[in-house]
């Protein structure tokens, strides 16, 4: 734990400055009309200049863009840790474990699809707590079972060991990915309420918890639709993440096969229905799984922005920035990959999440 008092005013001032430099909708419209080399040159004129220049001698095209994006993202989140003190440091550091989850999912998918280690590395974001040596060992494993053994002694090992049996039975990665999500969110909420220096559930801690609850709620909504669309005989309750306010296990069972009822359930919730009218319209208009998931991402972004405006000196502003920066990186990556494989502008636009 970082000693000393929290410093949210200072960190939020730095975050506001960083947020002002994020790409705009107009920037995305320009990028959609460019090829990968032009996108890299455009990025060189922005805050990605250092990464593009440092990596440009080793990589080109989409590889250069992806490595630059991920290095820049990690640098920004390391800066958040460096700026923060006291309880704020702890809250941000624990939240950034989400990138350990991202990296583990990416590595498992790579092993599952027999992807080359170097290709797996392209998609990793080294902003979590797992050290580089552990991550490199994971990338070099040949089987998912071996990868899980590398994680012995971490917070993820027990949950993944339990989920491995279902993975073997179904041949699907969903049980492993869901085990990672559950372990991350449920431990995160428990850490907040019981960790050293834990505060009463009010003020900044209550604000932090409200943000986490929203992430859990939208993760559960995503899981419900994925299960409905998969057609697999899976128990929705087994994929339920505890800690949100929108669903309980019985809700998930009831809504998993009814898309319209799922959206109605979100809109009827007082916490979200009053604050997410535009995002809920996008949810209603979505006609594919990817559009629904993008609409959920946009809804979470909108909700986090609302929280940061209500509580401008709380950790919400930092968390909202983390989501927005993630989304920028995902949007630029989607554009570069789309242009590389020859998608037209309309097809690429469908891959973007913008507010």
């Amino acid at each position: 734990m970082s000693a000393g008092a929290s410093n949210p005013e200072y960190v939020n001032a730095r975050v506001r400055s960083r947020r002002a430099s994020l790409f705009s909708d107009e920037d995305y419209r320009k990028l959609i009309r460019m090829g990968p080399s032009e996108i890299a040159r455009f990025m060189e004129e922005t805050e990605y200049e250092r990464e593009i220049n440092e990596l440009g001698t080793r990589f080109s095209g989409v590889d250069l863009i992806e490595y630059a994006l991920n290095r820049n993202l990690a640098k920004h989140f390391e800066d958040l840790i460096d700026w923060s003190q006291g309880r704020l440091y702890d809250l941000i550091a624990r939240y950034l474990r989400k990138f350990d989850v991202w990296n583990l999912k990416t590595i498992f998918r790579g092993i599952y699809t027999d992807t080359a280690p170097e290709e797996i590395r392209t998609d990793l974001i080294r902003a979590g707590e797992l050290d580089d040596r552990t991550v490199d060992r994971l990338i070099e494993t040949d089987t998912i079972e071996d990868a899980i053994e590398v994680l012995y002694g971490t917070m993820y090992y027990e949950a993944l060991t339990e989920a491995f049996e279902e993975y073997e039975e179904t041949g699907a990665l969903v049980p492993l990915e869901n085990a990672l999500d559950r372990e991350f969110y449920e431990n995160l909420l428990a850490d907040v309420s019981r960790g050293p220096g834990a505060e009463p559930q009010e003020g900044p801690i209550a604000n932090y918890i409200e943000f986490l609850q929203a992430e859990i709620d939208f993760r559960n909504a995503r899981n419900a639709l994925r299960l409905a669309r998969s057609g697999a005989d899976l128990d929705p309750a087994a994929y339920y993440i505890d800690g949100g306010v929108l669903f309980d296990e019985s809700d998930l069972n009831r809504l998993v096969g009814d898309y319209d009822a799922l959206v109605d359930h979100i809109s009827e919730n007082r916490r979200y229905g009053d604050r997410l009218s535009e995002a809920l319209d996008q949810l209603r208009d979505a006609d594919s799984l990817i559009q629904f998931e993008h609409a959920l991402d946009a809804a979470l972004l909108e909700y986090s922005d609302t929280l940061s405006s209500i509580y401008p000196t709380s950790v919400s502003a930092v968390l909202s920035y983390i989501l927005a920066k993630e989304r920028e990186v995902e949007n630029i990556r989607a554009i570069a990959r789309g242009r590389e494989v020859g998608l037209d502008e309309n097809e690429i636009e469908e891959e973007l999440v913008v507010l």
Side-chain angles (χ1 to χ4, degrees):
M1 169 175 285
S2 177
S6 291
N7 57 339
E9 292 84 1
Y10 170 75
V11 174
N12 284 334
R14 300 295 298 266
V15 163
R16 281 194 296 273
S17 174
R18 286 282 175 92
R19 182 136 192 181
S21 69
L22 292 177
F23 280 28
S24 66
D25 290 355
E26 179 59 31
D27 290 326
Y28 294 135
R29 282 191 283 272
K30 292 177 183 176
L31 291 177
I32 286 173
R33 297 191 290 270
M34 300 178 184
S37 296
E38 294 173 291
I39 292 171
R41 286 195 293 273
F42 182 91
M43 290 171 64
E44 194 175 4
E45 301 300 318
T46 70
E47 64 154 53
Y48 294 95
E49 176 186 9
R50 178 176 176 179
E51 289 79 15
I52 291 290
N53 288 334
E54 288 178 351
L55 295 165
T57 57
R58 287 188 287 153
F59 304 103
S60 61
V62 174
D63 283 347
L64 172 59
I65 292 167
E66 296 211 20
Y67 276 112
L69 288 171
N70 290 344
R71 180 179 288 190
N72 179 272
L73 190 67
K75 179 192 76 174
H76 275 251
F77 296 160
E78 286 167 4
D79 287 344
L80 293 177
I81 294 294
D82 290 341
W83 297 336
S84 305
Q85 298 174 3
R87 185 64 165 155
L88 181 64
Y89 171 94
D90 292 317
L91 296 177
I92 295 172
R94 287 168 175 158
Y95 183 72
L96 290 177
R97 288 176 186 160
K98 69 187 292 184
F99 294 104
D100 289 330
V101 172
W102 166 275
N103 289 339
L104 291 174
K105 289 181 180 180
T106 300
I107 292 167
F108 288 164
R109 289 172 195 151
I111 295 170
Y112 186 79
T113 57
D114 200 26
T115 301
E118 276 309 309
E119 290 186 47
I120 296 173
R121 283 190 175 89
T122 304
D123 286 334
L124 299 183
I125 301 169
R126 304 201 183 212
E129 289 186 339
L130 291 177
D131 58 64
D132 287 347
R133 181 173 175 273
T134 299
V135 173
D136 289 337
R137 285 178 63 203
L138 286 164
I139 294 170
E140 297 299 332
T141 56
D142 293 322
T143 68
I144 287 174
E145 187 173 17
D146 289 343
I148 292 173
E149 287 305 313
V150 171
L151 293 167
Y152 180 78
T154 70
M155 61 182 280
Y156 307 106
Y157 178 75
E158 185 175 337
L160 287 171
T161 300
E162 292 176 2
F164 184 73
E165 183 177 342
E166 188 175 357
Y167 160 72
E168 285 197 302
E169 291 173 359
T170 64
L173 289 173
V174 174
L176 297 173
E177 294 181 344
N178 188 66
L180 288 168
D181 287 333
R182 292 174 77 167
E183 196 67 18
F184 168 68
Y185 284 112
E186 291 175 11
N187 271 280
L188 193 55
L189 284 170
D191 283 346
V192 170
S193 59
R194 73 177 181 227
E199 301 169 22
Q201 306 307 300
E202 58 186 24
I205 299 304
N207 181 229
Y208 183 71
I209 289 173
E210 185 174 349
F211 176 90
L212 296 180
Q213 288 170 336
E215 277 211 334
I216 291 169
D217 284 334
F218 289 110
R219 178 69 62 182
N220 279 329
R222 176 183 275 106
N223 286 348
L225 191 68
R226 283 182 175 176
L227 290 173
R229 295 291 178 92
S230 72
D233 185 20
L234 298 170
D235 177 12
Y239 297 88
Y240 171 75
I241 301 172
D242 193 24
V245 299
L246 188 56
F247 303 101
D248 58 28
E249 289 187 29
S250 63
D251 290 329
L252 211 58
N253 278 311
R254 175 172 55 85
L255 298 169
V256 72
D258 191 334
Y259 178 86
D260 290 334
L262 182 64
V263 178
D264 287 341
H265 187 79
I266 298 171
S267 65
E268 289 165 4
N269 180 274
R270 182 175 299 178
R271 177 182 288 189
Y272 302 122
D274 294 342
R275 298 177 179 176
L276 294 177
S277 56
E278 183 176 337
L280 288 168
D281 288 342
Q282 291 183 41
L283 285 176
R284 293 187 192 284
D285 293 340
D287 56 14
S288 68
L289 178 58
I290 192 67
Q291 286 184 7
F292 178 81
E293 293 194 353
H294 286 171
L296 281 177
D297 289 337
L300 186 60
L301 274 172
E302 183 180 336
Y303 189 70
S304 67
D305 286 345
T306 300
L307 288 180
S308 66
S309 65
I310 295 172
Y311 311 106
T313 60
S314 74
V315 70
S316 280
V318 179
L319 301 179
S320 177
Y321 167 71
I322 291 172
L323 289 186
K325 181 65 179 177
E326 280 184 85
R327 190 46 46 200
E328 174 180 273
V329 166
E330 287 302 309
N331 282 340
I332 297 171
R333 178 183 286 117
I335 293 170
R337 287 178 172 175
R339 296 300 293 174
E340 183 183 42
V341 300
L343 297 183
D344 65 35
E345 293 180 14
N346 289 334
E347 289 172 318
I348 294 173
E349 283 183 2
E350 289 184 358
E351 296 294 318
L352 306 185
V353 175
V354 293
L355 290 178

